[in-house]
Amino acid sequence: MTTLSEAYKDTPLNLQHIVPLDFESIQELPDSHAWSSSNEFTLPCSQTDEKSPSVPIVDLKGTNLVEKIGHACENYGVFQIINHGVSSKLLNEVEYQARRLFALPAHQKLKALRSPGGATGYGIARISPFFPKFMWHEGFNMMGSPVDHARELWPIDYDNFCDVMEEYQKKMKSLVYQLLLLVLESLGASQEDMESLFPTYESAESLQLNSYPSCPDPSRAIGLAPHTDSLFLTILNQSDTNGLQIFRDGIGWVPVCPVNDALVVNIGDLLHIFSNGRFPSVYHRAIVNETKHRISMAYFYGPPPESEIAPFAKLPLRKYRSLKVKEYIGIKAKHLDKALSLIRL
Ligand SMILES: O=C(O)CCC(=O)C(=O)O
Ligand SMILES: [Fe+2]
């Protein structure tokens, strides 16, 4: 069976797009990381709150979930969920372990460096080659058990990290499946459609830990450059430090402000294709700040790499051709933002 990792094999990266800066040793923003204008005006988080949030907040213990989620997917491409059943203890533990990893000395982190054609391990975001400057970011990616890389980082004491990451991925998987059923129902899929389209036992998934160290010149740096996620849905735990922004037509960059214990859900390209463009994948980015070291944890979920993806047959006027998931990942790895337009009919 093809794994998600293998879908990246044909677009190997060179080392300068894998090895992060040693942020500890840097006092000033180097030219390689200085963007000319990363910070167009965005609404500060202080002007939004839970009563007037910038994106919908959906209470998973509430009513009319199908309508609420359908509305959020169609109009925002992103929403926050509360009462999602993932304990704050686990959310804190996963952040603690992520911070523990990124606090290691650079030479230690490099022992778990991602391979040129690989997807897991320590390194710069894979979208880096598409941009003229580097991002103020380092990441660590896992698909399933992180034990091989964790052993490279902590030869003896790797169990805690692995246990927490595996438990978190398990929880994310059941949560994302629950969300996916609601999303599909809002597109008009019946229970039978869902069972045949998305058998639970197979999927493509990965967990990405993102680290954005405090930055000496945040107005000229960017944490993660604008992109859409590739799979169906992403569940992002951004903890309590703001930085995530989405692009809204006619408005510009809008912050998705942290809400206590909430998780952010956003739509990726494969759901964009499946919904025939009705649920657009959301363009987003992360900005950095001068004092806080921001950590986020993104769980990406989609159908298995060998499966076929196409607009759902019950939707009118197909806009995208059908293709294998791994083919789409390959097109995205080569063309980034142009990938969706390249498969448009
Ligand atoms: O850190 C964030 O808020 C965004 C992370 C993200 O977009 C990603 O990992 O794809
Ligand atoms: Fe993303």
Side-chain angles (χ1 to χ4, degrees):
M1 197 180 81
T2 313
T3 63
L4 196 55
S5 264
E6 286 167 48
Y8 293 104
K9 245 188 5 236
D10 295 339
T11 42
L13 302 178
N14 55 32
L15 270 188
Q16 62 158 340
H17 289 297
I18 304 177
V19 181
L21 196 64
D22 177 5
F23 295 99
E24 277 290 294
S25 66
I26 301 284
Q27 310 296 329
E28 271 178 30
L29 189 71
D31 184 54
S32 54
H33 288 64
W35 299 56
S36 48
S37 62
S38 73
N39 281 353
E40 305 88 351
F41 177 76
T42 39
L43 191 70
C45 274
S46 55
Q47 288 184 18
T48 69
D49 59 27
E50 284 178 45
K51 289 207 183 69
S52 58
S54 55
V55 303
I57 297 177
V58 179
D59 179 348
L60 290 188
K61 291 218 172 99
T63 53
N64 300 329
L65 291 183
V66 173
E67 289 75 18
K68 284 178 189 157
I69 288 180
H71 177 266
C73 290
E74 198 157 347
N75 297 290
Y76 293 84
V78 59
F79 51 97
Q80 305 215 51
I81 49 173
I82 54 172
N83 285 322
H84 42 63
V86 184
S87 69
S88 18
K89 179 168 174 276
L90 183 58
L91 296 176
N92 292 338
E93 268 172 359
V94 75
E95 178 176 351
Y96 173 83
Q97 291 296 338
R99 287 192 184 277
R100 190 175 153 232
L101 188 161
F102 293 116
L104 290 170
H107 69 87
Q108 192 66 17
K109 289 185 277 193
L110 291 178
K111 291 184 178 160
L113 195 64
R114 203 173 63 220
S115 69
T120 61
Y122 177 68
I124 291 180
R126 274 200 69 100
I127 57 174
S128 172
F130 293 94
F131 298 93
K133 298 283 180 166
F134 287 96
M135 296 168 231
W136 198 258
H137 168 267
E138 56 185 335
F140 182 84
N141 186 277
M142 290 153 266
M143 293 177 183
S145 167
V147 68
D148 292 345
H149 288 305
R151 244 197 225 119
E152 294 162 336
L153 295 169
W154 299 283
I156 303 164
D157 172 23
Y158 54 84
D159 278 354
N160 283 349
F161 180 86
C162 295
D163 291 348
V164 170
M165 295 301 156
E166 282 171 42
E167 189 189 345
Y168 189 68
Q169 289 181 79
K170 239 189 255 159
K171 281 274 169 2
M172 287 294 112
K173 188 167 181 164
S174 68
L175 178 59
V176 83
Y177 198 72
Q178 183 191 340
L179 291 167
L180 192 60
L181 295 184
L182 293 164
V183 168
L184 297 179
E185 200 177 329
S186 73
L187 281 173
S190 67
Q191 190 68 37
E192 291 90 72
D193 289 330
M194 296 193 272
E195 277 161 18
S196 64
L197 286 164
F198 304 103
T200 29
Y201 48 87
E202 269 189 283
S203 55
E205 60 213 292
S206 81
L207 176 61
Q208 164 83 16
L209 310 178
N210 296 305
S211 152
Y212 311 94
S214 53
C215 176
D217 191 354
S219 66
R220 291 197 304 142
I222 184 93
L224 212 50
H227 66 282
T228 59
D229 294 341
S230 302
L231 304 184
F232 260 134
L233 287 174
T234 304
I235 302 183
L236 181 83
N237 171 2
Q238 65 166 342
S239 187
D240 60 358
T241 309
N242 65 62
L244 175 66
Q245 301 183 337
I246 57 164
F247 191 79
R248 304 213 59 204
D249 286 340
I251 302 177
W253 290 104
V254 174
V256 179
C257 306
V259 170
N260 209 7
D261 278 344
L263 293 165
V264 179
V265 181
N266 72 259
I267 292 179
D269 296 347
L270 294 182
L271 188 53
H272 181 122
I273 298 168
F274 183 80
S275 69
N276 206 24
R278 184 162 139 201
F279 295 170
S281 53
V282 65
Y283 210 44
H284 57 283
R285 67 178 188 179
I287 57 163
V288 292
N289 78 75
E290 200 163 351
T291 51
K292 288 188 174 166
H293 182 169
R294 179 171 182 268
I295 296 285
S296 76
M297 291 131 278
Y299 175 82
F300 306 102
Y301 179 90
E306 286 290 347
S307 64
E308 210 57 34
I309 181 85
F312 179 42
K314 289 185 181 164
L315 297 172
L317 303 171
R318 261 176 171 230
K319 293 186 189 148
Y320 299 95
R321 74 174 169 90
S322 80
L323 75 174
K324 283 203 167 158
V325 166
K326 66 175 186 188
E327 191 195 341
Y328 184 75
I329 304 290
I331 296 176
K332 181 90 185 257
K334 286 201 184 72
H335 303 281
L336 199 67
D337 287 355
K338 295 182 194 64
L340 280 176
S341 59
L342 286 170
I343 60 158
R344 209 164 155 133
L345 290 172

